[in-house]
Amino acid sequence: MFKSFRGGIHPQDQKQYSRDKAIETMPVPAKLVLPLRQHIGAPAEAIVAVGEQVKKGQCIAKSTGFVSSPVHAPTSGKIAAIAVQPHPVFGTSMAIVLEADGEDAWQEGVLVERDWRSLSNSDLLEIIRNAGIVGLGGAAFPTHVKLNPPPDKKIDTLIINGAECEPYLTADHRVMLEWPDKMIEGIEIALKLLGLNEAVIGIEKNKADAVAFLEKKCQGKPIKVAALETKYPQGAEKMLIRAITGREVPSGGLPADVGVIVQNVGTLAAVSDAVSHGKPLIERVVTVSGGLVKEPKNILVRLGTSFAQAVEWCGGLTGKAAKIVMGGPMMGMAQAGLEVPIVKGTSGILALAKSDIGGGKERGCIRCGRCVEVCPMGLAPYLFAIWGQRDNVEAAVKEGHLLDCAECGSCVYVCPAKRNLVHYIKLLKAKNAAKRK
Ligand code: SF4
Ligand code: SF4
C-alpha cells in the first residue's frame, strides 16, 4: 500500500520523453537576462552599473528584506543593460542583461571548501541567504526563511519533496539519481538547522529506480524513503504532508502549523553546493520536453538563458506549439513565446502540440459532482464558477474557502463540461486581494 491523500487525478505522466536522459550541461549563451524578481518576496536591487565588468558568482543584485534573495552573475562578462525585460511569471520585470565574455571566470574568493559541521546555525543561514537559494520546485520561496521557522512553531518533521507529480517533468528525478550525495548533505544541513534527527524523502512510485537507489544510499543515515502513490497533485505541500504524516494543514495555515517543513530535492543539492563549496545559485536543472521538442532533455543551464536558447539546444521544435509552458502542464505558467529567461523557479519548459492539451468548448455545468470528488482540498469547485459569474467574492471566501484552493487544476481536468474553474478561481482571488488592499 503506497502513501497518498484523498481526491486527486491520474493524468498520463508523459515522463517517457526525458526520464532516462542524464543531466546535460548546456554551454553558456552570449547573453543572459537576470530579472530582479526571481523569488517570492521583495525584489532584489541591482548593485552593478551598465558597462561594469563582472565575474562569475559575483553578487550583482542584493536582497532588500528578510523575505528576499540576491542575484549572482552566472558567468563573467559585461553588464549591457539594466532595463525592463520579459519575465516568465510577471510578464515584464526590471532585469540585468549580462554579455558573456566567454572566459566563464569565477570571482576570486567565492569558491571555498567548508566543513558544515563546524559552522553555527546562524552562519549556515547566512551562507544560504547570501547564496541566493530559493525553492527550486517552482515556488521560489527563499530557503533561509523556510529553514528558520518562527520560535512559536514546534517543528518535528522534515519532508523532502521528490514527488515531482506534474506530467513531463523529470528534473528532480534526475537530481535524485545523479546528485544523491549533494542532496543527502543538504538534508543533513537542514536537519541540523531545524534541530531534528530524521527526514523523510517522498517519491512517487513511478520513479521506482530512485526509491530503490535512495533507500540503499540512505542506509545508516537519518533519512527514510517513503514511496507514494502516483497521483496528481501528490507533490503539493499539503498533499505530501497528508500522505506522509496523516496531518491536515488547517484552512489558511502553513506546513509549520502542523510541525512540518518541506524542501525540494534540488534545493537541498543547492544548499550543499553553497555551504560546502561556496557556490551561489547561478544554474539549475530544467526539463525541456513536450510533444514538439525534437530531443527532450534534462539540462543544467545558467540562469538568464532564454527559453528559445534552451529549446534550440534540444534540437528545436518540430512544429508550431499550441502552448508554451514554464513548469508542468497542470500548474505551470503559459507563455506568449520563447523569448523569456530561465529564472530560479523554472523547473521545466514545455512545448505542447494541440493534441497534448485537449480542450474543447466550455458548456454549462451538469452538476455531475466529479470536480468535488477529485478536489484534494475538499472544496466544491463548481461553485467558484457561479460565484465568479455573480462577482460574489465574499461567498467564495467565506463559504467556499477560496483561499485554500491550490490551483492544482484537477477539477478542470475531470470536468466533462470543460468548465474553466481555475480561471474563475484566479479571478476571485485577484478581486479578493484587491479588496483587501
Ligand atoms: S478547487 Fe482548487 S484545489 Fe480543488 S481541484 Fe480545483 S484547482 Fe484544485
Ligand atoms: S465537473 Fe464540471 S460539470 Fe461536473 S459538477 Fe463540476 S463543474 Fe459541473
Side-chain angles (χ1 to χ4, degrees):
M1 181 71 176
F2 294 95
K3 293 176 186 294
S4 195
F5 60 95
R6 66 157 182 252
I9 54 172
H10 296 90
Q12 281 191 340
D13 80 7
Q14 307 287 17
K15 294 182 192 275
Q16 71 279 7
Y17 291 111
S18 57
R19 64 157 61 98
D20 297 323
K21 304 281 183 71
I23 298 167
E24 199 177 287
T25 302
M26 186 181 155
V28 186
K31 185 181 103 173
L32 298 166
V33 175
L34 300 143
L36 299 177
R37 293 180 83 181
Q38 300 233 14
H39 51 269
I40 288 178
E45 188 184 311
I47 54 169
V48 285
V50 174
E52 197 174 325
Q53 294 288 333
V54 296
K55 294 284 190 193
K56 180 177 173 182
Q58 181 179 333
C59 182
I60 53 173
K62 64 176 186 184
S63 61
T64 54
F66 181 58
V67 184
S68 184
S69 195
V71 179
H72 301 79
T75 190
S76 53
K78 190 171 92 178
I79 304 299
I82 301 174
V84 174
Q85 296 284 322
H87 191 292
V89 180
F90 304 110
T92 56
S93 153
M94 279 302 279
I96 298 173
V97 181
L98 173 58
E99 268 173 18
D101 61 11
E103 301 284 319
D104 207 25
W106 281 96
Q107 185 182 34
E108 218 172 294
V110 167
L111 297 181
V112 286
E113 293 304 305
R114 282 185 287 239
D115 175 11
W116 62 269
R117 288 183 180 81
S118 66
L119 296 170
S120 69
N121 281 5
S122 58
D123 284 346
L124 287 170
L125 287 170
E126 195 60 13
I127 292 167
I128 294 167
R129 178 184 182 162
N130 290 341
I133 298 173
V134 302
L136 298 184
F141 191 80
T143 302
H144 66 276
V145 182
K146 233 180 173 186
L147 289 177
N148 187 20
D152 62 316
K153 305 284 178 203
K154 177 86 194 79
I155 305 300
D156 60 20
T157 306
L158 171 63
I159 294 178
I160 316 306
N161 194 347
E164 204 169 45
C165 62
E166 278 267 13
Y168 294 97
L169 301 187
T170 53
D172 286 350
H173 187 179
R174 296 311 309 180
V175 165
M176 290 189 281
L177 290 176
E178 297 182 49
W179 298 351
D181 296 328
K182 281 205 277 191
M183 185 190 84
I184 288 169
E185 186 174 69
I187 296 173
E188 289 177 320
I189 293 168
L191 284 172
K192 175 174 169 11
L193 283 168
L194 297 168
L196 300 178
N197 298 320
E198 193 175 78
V200 185
I201 311 175
I203 307 172
E204 282 191 339
K205 68 178 182 191
N206 62 352
K207 294 175 265 296
D209 52 353
V211 172
F213 178 62
L214 288 178
E215 272 174 350
K216 217 165 153 198
K217 250 337 235 182
C218 295
Q219 269 173 17
K221 298 202 176 289
I223 302 166
K224 277 190 192 153
V225 177
L228 311 169
E229 194 185 322
T230 302
K231 186 165 71 163
Y232 178 85
Q234 185 73 81
E237 283 193 344
K238 291 181 181 177
M239 277 76 250
L240 194 61
I241 292 168
R242 174 88 177 100
I244 291 178
T245 68
R247 298 177 200 169
E248 291 271 1
V249 178
S251 176
L254 294 169
D257 295 329
V258 292
V260 182
I261 297 291
V262 180
Q263 285 287 342
N264 160 271
V265 294
T267 311
L268 290 166
V271 164
S272 157
D273 271 342
V275 171
S276 295
H277 311 294
K279 201 175 153 197
L281 187 65
I282 56 167
E283 59 189 0
R284 64 157 298 148
V285 181
V286 176
T287 301
V288 182
S289 188
L292 286 180
V293 176
K294 199 164 178 194
E295 214 188 316
K297 291 179 182 178
N298 300 293
I299 55 173
L300 178 63
V301 61
R302 302 289 166 93
L303 300 175
T305 301
S306 75
F307 282 26
Q309 287 159 330
V311 167
E312 207 45 48
W313 179 250
C314 297
L317 301 181
T318 56
K320 191 169 162 30
K323 199 173 180 185
I324 304 285
V325 183
M326 179 180 94
M330 301 296 296
M331 286 181 85
M333 302 286 297
Q335 304 294 317
L338 289 168
E339 286 309 324
V340 280
I342 287 171
V343 291
K344 293 178 181 180
T346 308
S347 52
I349 299 170
L350 306 182
L352 304 171
K354 204 154 191 267
S355 54
D356 294 328
I357 51 179
K361 208 168 170 336
E362 185 169 347
R363 300 186 301 274
C365 173
I366 56 168
R367 297 280 196 274
C368 67
R370 284 190 209 172
C371 56
V372 181
E373 270 167 40
V374 300
C375 178
M377 296 306 298
L379 307 176
Y382 67 97
L383 288 173
F384 293 124
I386 298 171
W387 286 320
Q389 282 160 346
R390 292 183 187 159
D391 216 10
N392 196 343
V393 181
E394 207 181 321
V397 173
K398 288 196 177 144
E399 295 165 37
H401 301 284
L402 173 74
L403 302 183
D404 284 341
C405 168
E407 297 179 25
C408 70
S410 298
C411 50
V412 178
Y413 184 82
V414 295
C415 177
K418 309 286 176 204
R419 306 283 282 164
N420 194 351
L421 300 166
V422 173
H423 164 78
Y424 293 110
I425 288 164
K426 284 187 172 164
L427 204 73
L428 285 162
K429 281 188 181 176
K431 285 187 177 169
N432 180 54
K435 238 169 105 178
R436 284 172 56 141
K437 238 182 188 173

